[in-house]
Amino acid sequence: KAGVTQTPRYLIKTRGQQVTLSCSPISGHRSVSWYQQTPGQGLQFLFEYFSETQRNKGNFPGRFSGRQFSNSRSEMNVSTLELGDSALYLCASSQAGFDYGYTFGSGTRLTVV
Amino acid sequence: DQQVKQNSPSLSVQEGRISILNCDYTNSMFDYFLWYKKYPAEGPTFLISISSIKDKNEDGRFTVFLNKSAKHLSLHIVPSQPGDSAVYFCAASGSNYQLIWGAGTKLIIKP
């Protein structure tokens, strides 16, 4: 079966711009979580969506937002980009939550210049 | 404040020997712990997990030990193989569906 698909794989944006990242979960998975990974910081939790509802949110500013569609695909949006937003953004899907096992996508590498 | 800490950024081990990766946590409410492995340019993949009602869980060459009183868990890989070279993350969770991740340890297996 197809894995978790994240698009695009790489992205270069300018400070002040906005960006939208996409995540298509494994078929049948209803939970989608987003993470930011920066060197030395591990994975920082952004938010989790389950059945189109945001179920949990990490400690990121309001510039970071997301949504989930009825087919469980999810998008993440970052507005007014800052240099510090440069990171690998990972999406993970599961049937109902982490205790059922997360499957991660390969990530979107965002570079802000 | 880091609730989950992996204090060793990197670890080098001879092929065939035991690799021991450590993880400490501060929140006594955590009741579920996971280890993930990550290769470059790929997302993390699930390796093994343990519930707080257990102190050991084994899966092939991988064993996770949990010491609740010390708030410490460790991942043992025996024997270590070249394909085990990767970054290993530990993660912990309580009841709110949110996983808290460590910063990762880069494991290098030397031939």
Side-chain angles (χ1 to χ4, degrees):
Chain A
K1 60 181 179 183
V4 178
T5 303
Q6 289 189 247
T7 56
R9 286 297 307 272
Y10 302 93
L11 205 49
I12 299 176
K13 288 285 189 179
T14 306
R15 268 184 303 174
Q17 286 187 312
Q18 77 161 21
V19 67
T20 299
L21 312 182
S22 178
C23 173
S24 293
I26 289 174
S27 178
H29 284 192
R30 296 162 66 191
S31 167
V32 174
S33 297
W34 288 89
Y35 290 88
Q36 181 194 67
Q37 185 190 4
T38 52
Q41 292 295 316
L43 278 67
Q44 304 294 316
F45 174 73
L46 282 151
F47 27 66
E48 185 212 4
Y49 285 87
F50 182 80
S51 294
E52 300 180 66
T53 301
Q54 187 180 85
R55 185 160 66 173
N56 217 333
K57 190 177 189 304
N59 297 321
F60 276 80
R63 299 185 298 107
F64 292 82
S65 63
R67 59 178 175 168
Q68 187 180 33
F69 301 95
S70 58
N71 62 358
S72 292
R73 189 178 73 84
S74 177
E75 286 183 348
M76 189 192 94
N77 185 276
V78 188
S79 62
T80 321
L81 283 166
E82 300 176 0
L83 295 178
D85 296 333
S86 295
L88 179 67
Y89 290 88
L90 291 161
C91 155
S93 77
S94 72
Q95 287 182 342
F98 69 86
D99 49 336
Y100 289 87
Y102 274 155
T103 301
F104 280 84
S106 298
T108 294
R109 172 73 63 184
L110 172 65
T111 303
V112 182
V113 297
Chain B
D1 83 58
Q2 279 190 295
Q3 297 186 65
V4 177
K5 296 180 186 178
Q6 293 178 257
N7 291 317
S8 299
S10 67
L11 176 68
S12 188
V13 173
Q14 202 74 36
E15 181 180 357
R17 299 284 183 92
I18 182 172
S19 294
I20 300 176
L21 297 104
N22 294 304
C23 180
D24 296 295
Y25 60 96
T26 58
N27 189 338
S28 58
M29 299 301 290
F30 287 151
D31 59 7
Y32 196 74
F33 305 88
L34 306 91
W35 284 93
Y36 276 77
K37 178 167 79 171
K38 185 180 185 299
Y39 293 118
E42 294 183 14
T45 54
F46 171 75
L47 204 51
I48 192 168
S49 64
I50 188 166
S51 163
S52 60
I53 62 173
K54 292 184 169 184
D55 54 19
K56 177 183 174 181
N57 190 25
E58 216 169 332
D59 184 1
R61 296 187 298 114
F62 302 91
T63 303
V64 57
F65 295 92
L66 175 62
N67 182 332
K68 289 188 291 293
S69 60
K71 295 192 183 70
H72 176 84
L73 66 155
S74 60
L75 174 68
H76 292 210
I77 306 173
V78 184
S80 300
Q81 298 174 354
D84 296 330
S85 295
V87 177
Y88 290 78
F89 292 97
C90 75
S93 179
S95 58
N96 64 352
Y97 299 102
Q98 184 173 340
L99 282 178
I100 308 298
W101 296 73
T105 296
K106 183 175 183 178
L107 177 64
I108 301 162
I109 305 301
K110 298 179 292 186

